[in-house]
Amino acid sequence: MNATKTMKSRRPEQTDLSLDVHWDYVNRVDGECVLTVLSEQLHWICELGSCLSSELVDRVHAPYQWTVRQVVEHCVDAERIFGDRMLRIAAGDKTDLPAWDENAYADARFGLGNIGHLISEFGYLRQANLVLLGRLVPSAWDQVGIVDSQPVTPRGIAWLAAAHLQHHFEIIERRCEIMPQRKPMA
């Protein structure tokens, strides 16, 4: 059997994600190992944070409705939720997990403090999720759970976490006209 096919952190298959919108995001992410992609994104968030001035962070850039700070806060909140979902589904929890209202979280404005603190929080959450994924046995990656009445696996959620961050960071780069280094220098 192909080594890539047996790698637990391989690209998702049809059984890992069910929504077309999720596939649209995931198909834009390069790489064959989600652990590598997720890890490399830690570099990207640090570089992105170093490019953002306070003037850029708190301005709404039309046509968007959130400030860059709210977008980063949204990415932090999503990372926390993705981690919870990966853990629960990998453990075999069959609870139908609910959707989350991203606008309610953004409106709560928890992230009004230092942007550096938000970036640090994201880094800690991503590192925790990487440790979680690293300790999962291969069969746990294939567990099917239900989120918002849709089947998904921890592998699918891990790739979605990478795709979600990439989606929002690409928008921030365009909005702020910045080009941070996305991966560590080889």
Side-chain angles (χ1 to χ4, degrees), residues 40-65:
E40 287 175 346
Q41 285 181 336
L42 284 168
H43 180 83
W44 191 4
I45 192 163
C46 291
E47 290 294 312
L48 183 83
S50 71
C51 294
L52 293 172
S53 68
S54 56
E55 186 266 327
L56 290 174
V57 169
D58 290 316
R59 184 169 27 123
V60 174
H61 302 81
Y64 303 101
Q65 297 177 347

Side-chain angles (χ1 to χ4, degrees), residues 91-162:
D93 186 338
K94 298 301 181 192
T95 304
D96 186 348
L97 302 174
W100 65 296
D101 182 353
E102 63 188 33
N103 291 308
Y105 286 66
D107 291 344
R109 309 269 307 177
F110 294 138
L112 287 177
N114 185 315
I115 189 74
H117 293 164
L118 282 172
I119 290 170
S120 293
E121 182 180 357
F122 178 87
Y124 295 136
L125 290 167
R126 175 57 61 90
Q127 289 172 0
N129 288 342
L130 281 164
V131 171
L132 167 66
L133 291 169
R135 71 182 170 98
L136 294 183
V137 297
S139 61
W141 285 75
D142 296 325
Q143 285 280 356
V144 177
I146 305 296
V147 175
D148 196 21
S149 301
Q150 299 296 319
V152 65
T153 66
R155 179 181 303 104
I157 295 170
W159 279 98
L160 187 56

